[in-house]
Amino acid sequence: MSNEHRIAIIRKRLEQVDMERTRLIAQRSQEPSGMTDYLIDLLASAGARLTRELEELQQA
C-alpha cells in the first residue's frame, strides 16, 4: 500500500474520530455520564495517535 493511500485512510479515520467525539460532547451536555467522559478521552487519545502517525507518513 502506498503512503498516499495510507494517508488517505488515516485522514478518513481521523475525521470519523472527530465526528464521534463531537457527537459525544454534545450528548454529554444533555446527559452527563462517566462513561461518556471516558469515551471522549479515549477518542481524544486515538485522534492524537492518528495525528502523529499521519505526520510521520507525510514526512516519509
Side-chain angles (χ1 to χ4, degrees):
M1 179 181 329
S2 70
N3 273 356
E4 293 82 19
H5 187 99
R6 289 179 185 167
I7 289 170
I9 290 172
I10 291 171
R11 283 187 177 148
K12 181 67 176 172
R13 287 181 184 163
L14 193 53
E15 181 182 314
Q16 292 168 336
V17 165
D18 288 342
M19 287 189 325
E20 182 64 11
R21 187 170 173 266
T22 301
R23 185 188 71 76
L24 286 171
I25 289 170
Q27 178 182 329
R28 178 178 63 186
S29 69
Q30 298 296 319
E31 48 186 273
S33 161
M35 180 56 100
T36 302
D37 291 341
Y38 171 75
L39 291 172
I40 290 169
D41 290 344
L42 193 62
L43 287 168
S45 295
R49 182 186 52 81
L50 286 168
T51 300
R52 281 192 307 273
E53 191 174 335
L54 181 60
E55 289 170 352
E56 288 172 7
L57 281 173
Q58 288 174 332
Q59 291 175 359

